[in-house]
Amino acid sequence: MYGTIRISKTPLPSKTTTAKLTQAAHTFCYGTRPLSLAVHPSITFNVQQKAFPTKRHFTSTSRTQLDVFPPPANAPNIKVTPPAWHHPVYTEAQMNSIIIAHREAKSFSDKVALGMMRLLRMGMDFFSGYSHDHAVATGAKNPQSARKSGWFSPMDERKWLTRCVFLESVAGVPGMVAASLRHLHSIRRLERDNGWIETLLEEAYNERMHLLTFLKLAEPGRFMRFLLLGAQGVFYNALFVSYLISPRTCHRFVGYLEEEAVITYTRFLAEIEAGKLPLFEKMQAPEIAIKYWNMPEGNRMMRDLILYIRADEAKHREVNHTLGNLAQKEDPNPFVSEYKDPERVHPSKGIENIKPTGWEREEVV
């Protein structure tokens, strides 16, 4: 789709006319049929149905040249620089088997982590205008009967993308904080880390790929960028200090945060499947997502993309709940370890043996 504006030499429109034009442009962003409006004798706004070659369906900012895997600047001998971490292969059956789950907060540390997660969730919900119904999350109520009014609903395509950009910009912080602190601890004490650093860095990288994927569909405006800057600054430093005090509590906090992410994407899927997000029903996943997840032919739509992202969040939920169960300085990372008894079911990098609430220490160590 595209819009054209023709302006003559007559005086510029008034503020009222400008408001009407803005409203017409807003309608254009959500509409699916041709539209022609004459809001002022000097301006004609024509909309026709043609595809954007960039597939940036929701944005009010100038286009950022965000290439998929661009060749390095000033490096004529380099063809392409692919990602260092290759994503595990997920089957459709595995992704469809992901469920909503909650680990009960038993210890004081767990309760602190759960309380901090809920506080963070409230702030994210408010600034992204996200509405969440517990009955929907637990499957006790149909998502379409849980609609609210006002700022927090309805959740249309634009608000879902706003929510996802906000969520993923924050979700990429914990893995990097934990990995950097464990790296410094290892080289300071001249000891091995037993495989934790690689998994935590890969988690941070995966969350960043989620963000880059959503940025191919929409880019935040200046106000949203300011909120993200503030949220990242506060969250990074708070998590940095918290991880120095209690790594176990931080991993449990991230596990609870990923539980909420699984709930969010489960509801996202329900809205798409219920036909409440028509612009997403026939929208193809961006090229960056197709390459990163190795999405097969015939399974490259927006719904398939959300399935992959939800599976990733479920994996992060399992990893962090498991790490929160281990001795933080002594135990090896069970997700990269080789086990003596290969016949038993053990943790892995994929989701074939996933445990929603994490593995207990005695099961893996």
Side-chain angles (χ1 to χ4, degrees), residues 1 135 145 169 190 271 286 290 354 362:
M1 294 180 287
S145 64
S169 66
L190 307 179
E271 296 254 326
I290 295 173
I354 193 168
E362 55 271 16

Side-chain angles (χ1 to χ4, degrees), residues 1 19-37 39 45 47 49 57-58 157-158 279:
M1 294 180 287
K20 291 181 180 180
L21 178 60
T22 303
Q23 183 178 6
H26 178 78
T27 304
F28 154 58
C29 291
Y30 291 95
T32 57
R33 58 187 179 84
L35 176 67
S36 179
L37 296 176
V39 295
F45 188 81
V47 177
Q49 282 193 328
H57 300 272
F58 306 90
E157 292 89 345
R158 184 180 295 272
L279 294 181

